[in-house]
Amino acid sequence: MNKNIIAIAIAALGFVIGLAFLGNAIKNRNKSENTISVTGLGVKKFTSDVIAWSGNFSRNSFELKSAYDQLANDRKVIENYLVSKGIPKNEIIFSAVDIQKQFNYNTDANGRSSQTFAGYQLSQTVSIDSKDVAKIENLSRNITEIINLGIEFTSSPPNYFYSKLADVKHQMIADATKDARQRAEKIAENSGSSLGKLKKATMGVTQITAPNSTEEYSYGGTFNTSSKDKEASITIKLEYGVD
């Protein structure tokens, strides 16, 4: 008899504890749902103030020394040309010389392949980083002047950057946070509630594209360098409690 009473008491106690756990779970679930999650957007347009441009030139010869001497002469001509266009010498950077052996490949009537030495190709890159954007832009557009000097020269499109990007990001974060809070306040007002404390904030990645472009955003962030004018954006997700 005593054993039955003890068993019933234990079962009853377990039932009460179970109800308590269930009540707390429902209470916590309702508490967690009593929130507002909103996403704010910060956008900023700006114009690049730094430009990076580069070009490649090369020489070919069966004699390595001959090719190197010709390339060295080209390097001097290019440097003099750039200086004459108002580019400071300390902004003109020449890379190390790249040396490649060239071969001609042939196949005879029996399908056997062979190769013959076709000489050396030596190439070098000249690059400029400058805050004088207009000057370097003009230089990159008129690069045929270097070709007319008898140099085999290939120009790359310039890349554009902004030296105060950190300031832009700070302003966008402030704008996105303000935008998110205003949205949350409006939702709370329309639902007859009042906005509580901020519980969580999550910042998205910075996306930098050309204005009015069709560039796609990237999960890790987009950074356009081909356009001088840029548009940056960032999102901030805020989660507030509701009173």
Side-chain angles (χ1 to χ4, degrees):
M1 184 68 179
N2 291 335
K3 289 183 179 180
N4 290 336
I5 294 174
I6 293 173
I8 293 171
I10 292 173
L13 180 61
F15 180 73
V16 171
I17 293 173
L19 287 177
F21 276 118
L22 179 61
N24 285 331
I26 294 173
K27 181 180 179 181
N28 290 334
R29 184 195 66 184
N30 291 336
K31 184 177 180 181
S32 66
E33 290 178 350
N34 199 27
T35 60
I36 293 177
S37 294
V38 290
T39 300
L41 176 66
V43 179
K44 181 72 174 178
K45 291 184 178 181
F46 57 96
T47 300
S48 303
D49 60 357
V50 176
I51 186 171
W53 169 82
S54 66
N56 181 271
F57 55 103
S58 62
R59 283 289 180 175
N60 295 277
S61 177
F62 277 94
E63 298 294 332
L64 182 59
K65 184 179 184 307
S66 175
Y68 188 86
D69 290 343
Q70 293 176 57
L71 196 72
N73 183 69
D74 290 345
R75 182 168 60 247
K76 189 62 178 177
V77 171
I78 291 171
E79 184 179 65
N80 290 339
Y81 170 82
L82 295 175
V83 170
S84 72
K85 296 298 180 181
I87 310 300
K89 275 191 175 183
N90 64 334
E91 291 184 0
I92 304 171
I93 307 298
F94 288 95
S95 69
V97 176
D98 180 63
I99 303 174
Q100 297 289 334
K101 288 184 177 181
Q102 304 295 304
F103 295 91
N104 291 326
Y105 296 91
N106 302 289
T107 303
D108 62 20
N110 296 319
R112 291 174 298 190
S113 60
S114 62
Q115 64 179 28
T116 55
F117 180 63
Y120 295 96
Q121 181 184 66
L122 275 63
S123 61
Q124 200 166 11
T125 298
V126 58
S127 59
I128 299 172
D129 287 356
S130 175
K131 290 189 175 182
D132 196 334
V133 177
K135 181 184 290 184
I136 304 303
E137 276 186 322
N138 184 64
L139 176 69
S140 67
R141 295 191 187 108
N142 295 282
I143 209 63
T144 51
E145 293 181 4
I146 292 181
I147 298 174
N148 292 336
L149 296 174
I151 298 174
E152 187 177 329
F153 194 91
T154 303
S155 175
S156 299
N159 290 315
Y160 299 91
F161 304 93
Y162 190 54
S163 62
K164 299 177 182 178
L165 188 58
D167 295 338
V168 171
K169 289 182 178 180
H170 290 160
Q171 184 60 53
M172 287 194 303
I173 292 171
D175 292 343
T177 303
K178 181 180 179 181
D179 181 46
R181 181 172 178 83
Q182 289 176 343
R183 291 170 185 265
E185 289 174 342
K186 197 66 177 177
I187 293 172
E189 179 185 341
N190 291 339
S191 63
S193 305
S194 60
L195 204 62
K197 293 182 179 180
L198 178 64
K199 291 186 173 184
K200 186 178 180 181
T202 306
M203 184 174 66
V205 296
T206 303
Q207 309 284 352
I208 301 177
T209 62
N212 305 314
S213 71
T214 58
E215 293 178 74
E216 294 185 357
Y217 285 176
S218 168
Y219 179 81
T222 300
F223 193 99
N224 176 289
T225 60
S226 61
S227 173
K228 179 169 62 176
D229 296 316
K230 304 182 189 297
E231 181 176 275
S233 63
I234 197 168
T235 57
I236 298 289
K237 184 177 180 180
L238 302 181
E239 185 177 304
Y240 288 94
V242 178
D243 299 328

